[in-house]
Amino acid sequence: MKTAIELVLALAILVGVYLLTQRIVIWRLQRTCNRVLRDLQAKGAFSPESAVPLPYARKNPLRIGVRDYRPKAVEILLIQGKVATNEDGAYYLSRSMPAEASSAG
């Protein structure tokens, strides 16, 4: 009986750690998305004509160190429609994005 309780407790701790790490990843992605939006806003990228390249928008397979959430954040913002690209591959804030969301941080 004691081993069963220890097993359940260990499983509960494992699930808790997994959920906590997932929550941290989501939080970091949200912060990074806000930083990308602020970066585009600061650079004045509000239309296809004023679009700017984002060097961190592509994953660098040779990058070593802590995880870089910026490429995933740009991908998420593109899917959500908050950021768009022009024909040159530069990025700008989409018109469909509310103004108050771009200034949130």
Side-chain angles (χ1 to χ4, degrees), residues 70-93:
R70 294 177 300 179
K72 187 67 174 174
V74 171
E75 180 183 331
I76 289 170
L77 292 170
L78 284 169
I79 291 170
Q80 290 178 344
K82 294 181 178 181
V83 172
T85 60
N86 64 7
E87 55 275 349
D88 296 331
Y91 298 87
Y92 63 96
L93 295 172

Side-chain angles (χ1 to χ4, degrees), residues 41-103:
Q41 189 176 25
K43 292 179 179 179
F46 297 108
S47 68
E49 296 79 27
S50 63
V52 295
L54 295 177
Y56 51 79
R58 306 225 189 280
K59 284 187 178 181
N60 183 357
L62 299 177
R63 188 173 191 282
I64 299 173
V66 294
R67 184 170 178 187
D68 187 10
Y69 290 93
R70 294 177 300 179
K72 187 67 174 174
V74 171
E75 180 183 331
I76 289 170
L77 292 170
L78 284 169
I79 291 170
Q80 290 178 344
K82 294 181 178 181
V83 172
T85 60
N86 64 7
E87 55 275 349
D88 296 331
Y91 298 87
Y92 63 96
L93 295 172
S94 176
R95 295 192 198 287
S96 63
M97 191 180 92
E100 65 274 1
S102 65
S103 62

